[in-house]
PDB file of all heavy atoms in Angstrom:
ATOM      1  N   VAL B 181       6.303   4.528   9.444  1.00 98.00           N
ATOM      2  CA  VAL B 181       5.391   4.973  10.487  1.00 98.00           C
ATOM      3  C   VAL B 181       3.998   4.921   9.867  1.00 98.00           C
ATOM      4  O   VAL B 181       3.763   5.497   8.798  1.00 98.00           O
ATOM      5  CB  VAL B 181       5.739   6.397  10.974  1.00 98.00           C
ATOM      6  CG1 VAL B 181       4.647   6.939  11.891  1.00 98.00           C
ATOM      7  CG2 VAL B 181       7.080   6.387  11.702  1.00 98.00           C
ATOM      8  N   ALA B 182       3.110   4.189  10.509  1.00 98.00           N
ATOM      9  CA  ALA B 182       1.762   3.979   9.946  1.00 98.00           C
ATOM     10  C   ALA B 182       0.715   4.660  10.828  1.00 98.00           C
ATOM     11  O   ALA B 182       0.329   4.118  11.856  1.00 98.00           O
ATOM     12  CB  ALA B 182       1.480   2.480   9.845  1.00 98.00           C
ATOM     13  N   PRO B 183       0.270   5.856  10.407  1.00 98.00           N
ATOM     14  CA  PRO B 183      -0.744   6.539  11.214  1.00 98.00           C
ATOM     15  C   PRO B 183      -2.138   5.946  10.999  1.00 98.00           C
ATOM     16  O   PRO B 183      -2.427   5.377   9.952  1.00 98.00           O
ATOM     17  CB  PRO B 183      -0.723   7.981  10.672  1.00 98.00           C
ATOM     18  CG  PRO B 183       0.431   8.073   9.732  1.00 98.00           C
ATOM     19  CD  PRO B 183       0.731   6.683   9.280  1.00 98.00           C
ATOM     20  N   GLY B 184      -2.968   6.123  12.013  1.00 96.00           N
ATOM     21  CA  GLY B 184      -4.398   5.913  11.825  1.00 96.00           C
ATOM     22  C   GLY B 184      -4.945   7.179  11.186  1.00 96.00           C
ATOM     23  O   GLY B 184      -4.174   8.089  10.833  1.00 96.00           O
ATOM     24  N   PHE B 185      -6.267   7.270  11.043  1.00 93.00           N
ATOM     25  CA  PHE B 185      -6.835   8.482  10.425  1.00 93.00           C
ATOM     26  C   PHE B 185      -6.519   9.706  11.277  1.00 93.00           C
ATOM     27  O   PHE B 185      -6.591   9.650  12.503  1.00 93.00           O
ATOM     28  CB  PHE B 185      -8.350   8.330  10.279  1.00 93.00           C
ATOM     29  CG  PHE B 185      -8.710   7.238   9.321  1.00 93.00           C
ATOM     30  CD1 PHE B 185      -9.046   5.969   9.783  1.00 93.00           C
ATOM     31  CD2 PHE B 185      -8.689   7.463   7.956  1.00 93.00           C
ATOM     32  CE1 PHE B 185      -9.346   4.945   8.900  1.00 93.00           C
ATOM     33  CE2 PHE B 185      -8.994   6.440   7.057  1.00 93.00           C
ATOM     34  CZ  PHE B 185      -9.319   5.181   7.543  1.00 93.00           C
ATOM     35  N   PHE B 186      -6.135  10.785  10.625  1.00 90.00           N
ATOM     36  CA  PHE B 186      -5.969  12.068  11.321  1.00 90.00           C
ATOM     37  C   PHE B 186      -6.550  13.162  10.444  1.00 90.00           C
ATOM     38  O   PHE B 186      -6.751  12.961   9.241  1.00 90.00           O
ATOM     39  CB  PHE B 186      -4.504  12.337  11.676  1.00 90.00           C
ATOM     40  CG  PHE B 186      -3.562  12.387  10.506  1.00 90.00           C
ATOM     41  CD1 PHE B 186      -3.316  13.574   9.811  1.00 90.00           C
ATOM     42  CD2 PHE B 186      -2.885  11.242  10.097  1.00 90.00           C
ATOM     43  CE1 PHE B 186      -2.432  13.613   8.737  1.00 90.00           C
ATOM     44  CE2 PHE B 186      -1.994  11.276   9.019  1.00 90.00           C
ATOM     45  CZ  PHE B 186      -1.780  12.462   8.337  1.00 90.00           C
ATOM     46  N   GLU B 187      -6.827  14.299  11.048  1.00 86.00           N
ATOM     47  CA  GLU B 187      -7.494  15.347  10.273  1.00 86.00           C
ATOM     48  C   GLU B 187      -6.534  16.038   9.321  1.00 86.00           C
ATOM     49  O   GLU B 187      -5.481  16.522   9.730  1.00 86.00           O
ATOM     50  CB  GLU B 187      -8.144  16.354  11.222  1.00 86.00           C
ATOM     51  CG  GLU B 187      -9.497  15.839  11.714  1.00 86.00           C
ATOM     52  CD  GLU B 187     -10.135  16.710  12.749  1.00 86.00           C
ATOM     53  OE1 GLU B 187     -10.073  17.938  12.587  1.00 86.00           O
ATOM     54  OE2 GLU B 187     -10.683  16.135  13.709  1.00 86.00           O
ATOM     55  N   SER B 188      -6.897  16.048   8.045  1.00 88.00           N
ATOM     56  CA  SER B 188      -6.102  16.734   7.015  1.00 88.00           C
ATOM     57  C   SER B 188      -6.986  16.839   5.778  1.00 88.00           C
ATOM     58  O   SER B 188      -8.111  16.323   5.768  1.00 88.00           O
ATOM     59  CB  SER B 188      -4.842  15.937   6.677  1.00 88.00           C
ATOM     60  OG  SER B 188      -5.177  14.844   5.862  1.00 88.00           O
ATOM     61  N   GLU B 189      -6.395  17.459   4.719  1.00 89.00           N
ATOM     62  CA  GLU B 189      -7.164  17.560   3.479  1.00 89.00           C
ATOM     63  C   GLU B 189      -7.511  16.160   2.956  1.00 89.00           C
ATOM     64  O   GLU B 189      -8.600  15.928   2.446  1.00 89.00           O
ATOM     65  CB  GLU B 189      -6.324  18.315   2.453  1.00 89.00           C
ATOM     66  CG  GLU B 189      -7.165  19.062   1.448  1.00 89.00           C
ATOM     67  CD  GLU B 189      -6.312  20.021   0.640  1.00 89.00           C
ATOM     68  OE1 GLU B 189      -5.665  20.907   1.243  1.00 89.00           O
ATOM     69  OE2 GLU B 189      -6.302  19.887  -0.589  1.00 89.00           O
ATOM     70  N   MET B 190      -6.544  15.219   3.149  1.00 90.00           N
ATOM     71  CA  MET B 190      -6.760  13.872   2.619  1.00 90.00           C
ATOM     72  C   MET B 190      -7.950  13.189   3.283  1.00 90.00           C
ATOM     73  O   MET B 190      -8.750  12.534   2.637  1.00 90.00           O
ATOM     74  CB  MET B 190      -5.495  13.025   2.813  1.00 90.00           C
ATOM     75  CG  MET B 190      -5.562  11.682   2.143  1.00 90.00           C
ATOM     76  SD  MET B 190      -4.094  10.704   2.395  1.00 90.00           S
ATOM     77  CE  MET B 190      -2.931  11.478   1.300  1.00 90.00           C
ATOM     78  N   SER B 191      -8.066  13.356   4.607  1.00 88.00           N
ATOM     79  CA  SER B 191      -9.142  12.654   5.327  1.00 88.00           C
ATOM     80  C   SER B 191     -10.429  13.476   5.377  1.00 88.00           C
ATOM     81  O   SER B 191     -11.411  13.046   5.987  1.00 88.00           O
ATOM     82  CB  SER B 191      -8.684  12.302   6.746  1.00 88.00           C
ATOM     83  OG  SER B 191      -8.310  13.471   7.427  1.00 88.00           O
ATOM     84  N   SER B 192     -10.414  14.645   4.733  1.00 87.00           N
ATOM     85  CA  SER B 192     -11.602  15.501   4.783  1.00 87.00           C
ATOM     86  C   SER B 192     -12.792  14.873   4.038  1.00 87.00           C
ATOM     87  O   SER B 192     -13.919  15.333   4.153  1.00 87.00           O
ATOM     88  CB  SER B 192     -11.302  16.891   4.212  1.00 87.00           C
ATOM     89  OG  SER B 192     -10.938  16.762   2.859  1.00 87.00           O
ATOM     90  N   VAL B 193     -12.510  13.789   3.292  1.00 85.00           N
ATOM     91  CA  VAL B 193     -13.598  13.098   2.593  1.00 85.00           C
ATOM     92  C   VAL B 193     -14.456  12.296   3.578  1.00 85.00           C
ATOM     93  O   VAL B 193     -15.568  11.887   3.253  1.00 85.00           O
ATOM     94  CB  VAL B 193     -13.048  12.143   1.505  1.00 85.00           C
ATOM     95  CG1 VAL B 193     -12.414  12.928   0.387  1.00 85.00           C
ATOM     96  CG2 VAL B 193     -12.066  11.142   2.091  1.00 85.00           C
ATOM     97  N   LEU B 194     -13.915  12.061   4.791  1.00 85.00           N
ATOM     98  CA  LEU B 194     -14.691  11.314   5.790  1.00 85.00           C
ATOM     99  C   LEU B 194     -15.747  12.226   6.398  1.00 85.00           C
ATOM    100  O   LEU B 194     -15.462  13.372   6.745  1.00 85.00           O
ATOM    101  CB  LEU B 194     -13.763  10.789   6.907  1.00 85.00           C
ATOM    102  CG  LEU B 194     -12.753   9.721   6.494  1.00 85.00           C
ATOM    103  CD1 LEU B 194     -11.749   9.487   7.602  1.00 85.00           C
ATOM    104  CD2 LEU B 194     -13.465   8.422   6.140  1.00 85.00           C
ATOM    105  N   ARG B 195     -16.971  11.709   6.531  1.00 85.00           N
ATOM    106  CA  ARG B 195     -18.050  12.510   7.130  1.00 85.00           C
ATOM    107  C   ARG B 195     -17.880  12.505   8.648  1.00 85.00           C
ATOM    108  O   ARG B 195     -17.296  11.559   9.209  1.00 85.00           O
ATOM    109  CB  ARG B 195     -19.407  11.908   6.749  1.00 85.00           C
ATOM    110  CG  ARG B 195     -19.728  12.001   5.249  1.00 85.00           C
ATOM    111  CD  ARG B 195     -21.151  11.533   4.976  1.00 85.00           C
ATOM    112  NE  ARG B 195     -21.435  10.212   5.537  1.00 85.00           N
ATOM    113  CZ  ARG B 195     -21.120   9.056   4.947  1.00 85.00           C
ATOM    114  NH1 ARG B 195     -20.499   9.051   3.782  1.00 85.00           N
ATOM    115  NH2 ARG B 195     -21.421   7.904   5.510  1.00 85.00           N
ATOM    116  N   PRO B 196     -18.412  13.546   9.340  1.00 86.00           N
ATOM    117  CA  PRO B 196     -18.267  13.623  10.792  1.00 86.00           C
ATOM    118  C   PRO B 196     -18.724  12.351  11.503  1.00 86.00           C
ATOM    119  O   PRO B 196     -18.062  11.874  12.438  1.00 86.00           O
ATOM    120  CB  PRO B 196     -19.146  14.810  11.180  1.00 86.00           C
ATOM    121  CG  PRO B 196     -19.249  15.639   9.949  1.00 86.00           C
ATOM    122  CD  PRO B 196     -19.117  14.725   8.789  1.00 86.00           C
TER     123      PRO B 196
END
Side-chain angles (χ1 to χ4, degrees):
Chain B
V181 171
F185 295 98
F186 59 88
E187 278 174 41
S188 76
E189 208 168 302
M190 187 181 285
S191 58
S192 62
V193 292
L194 293 169
R195 294 187 308 277

